[in-house]
């Protein structure tokens, strides 16, 4: 789904990743994190797709909200498992969304 | 692939889309645009994934480079076909990448 976000400015976290082959609890944790992130202060939505590379973009009201989510205890545990088990590599980019526009048929 | 981008600040265009079912020349044009975008001034890289929703993020040196790519004649023709034939809906978000970090096993 395409996230319905408010008028800019707001913030985006672009998380691009290459997975390891084996699941090792990834799918279960991904579901848990997806439920948890939605309850975070300042969360505005997220979009996710994977074929080969995976791209997840989450949208936030402020940089402080992004920092708080990064420090969330359950999320920190997931991040550790991510580096140990789930990802070959990833890159996180934190961005200010300055303008947006859309099209709908 | 995860794009190797320079140190921030730089710019990102997040293009999130829902495709129509039929190809109608989309795949051919996507290949053409992929080749063309790489030759544009200020282009730094792009990442793309689709399952259900499609997410393409392209990276740029400046907002002016993004505007010039949007106005490129061949790209304009592709944009028109996109609205007429290929997309049910899409959203474009133009962002300033303020910080980034990565992980590699």
């Amino acid at each position: 789904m395409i996230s319905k976000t408010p008028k800019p400015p707001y913030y985006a976290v672009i998380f691009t990743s290459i997975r390891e082959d084996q699941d090792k609890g990834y799918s279960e944790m991904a579901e848990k994190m997806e439920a948890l992130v939605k309850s975070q202060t300042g969360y505005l939505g997220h979009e996710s797709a994977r074929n080969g590379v995976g791209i997840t973009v989450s949208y936030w009201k402020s940089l402080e909200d992004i920092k708080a989510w990064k420090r969330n205890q359950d999320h920190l545990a997931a991040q550790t498992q991510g580096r140990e088990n789930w990802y070959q590599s990833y890159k996180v980019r934190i961005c200010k969304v300055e303008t947006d526009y859309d099209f709908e048929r």
Side-chain angles (χ1 to χ4, degrees), chain A:
Chain A
M1 286 294 298
I2 301 178
S3 291
K4 292 191 190 307
T5 37
K7 281 196 179 177
Y10 54 92
Y11 289 84
V13 180
I14 305 169
F15 176 72
T16 311
S17 63
I18 309 284
R19 284 281 319 279
E20 293 287 353
D21 290 335
Q22 293 191 295
D23 190 81
K24 289 191 177 175
Y26 169 81
S27 301
E28 194 185 336
M29 182 65 91
E31 269 182 45
K32 267 173 76 173
M33 286 302 113
E34 179 146 347
L36 186 61
V37 72
K38 290 177 181 171
S39 70
Q40 300 303 301
T41 302
Y43 169 84
L44 299 174
H46 77 274
E47 297 159 348
S48 202
R50 177 176 302 279
N51 59 316
V53 71
I55 306 174
T56 296
V57 189
S58 59
Y59 301 102
W60 300 86
K61 274 193 188 158
S62 75
L63 287 174
E64 290 63 38
D65 297 326
I66 292 169
K67 282 178 196 156
W69 170 235
K70 196 184 176 200
R71 287 191 306 255
N72 174 286
Q73 285 303 317
D74 293 333
H75 189 205
L76 281 173
Q79 289 168 52
T80 301
Q81 283 204 64
R83 287 186 296 271
E84 288 175 356
N85 295 316
W86 298 326
Y87 297 112
Q88 283 178 30
S89 59
Y90 62 73
K91 187 155 187 130
V92 176
R93 295 177 173 97
I94 296 168
C95 320
K96 184 177 190 176
V97 181
E98 299 188 341
T99 55
D100 64 12
Y101 58 91
D102 47 33
F103 164 78
E104 195 146 357
R105 191 165 301 281

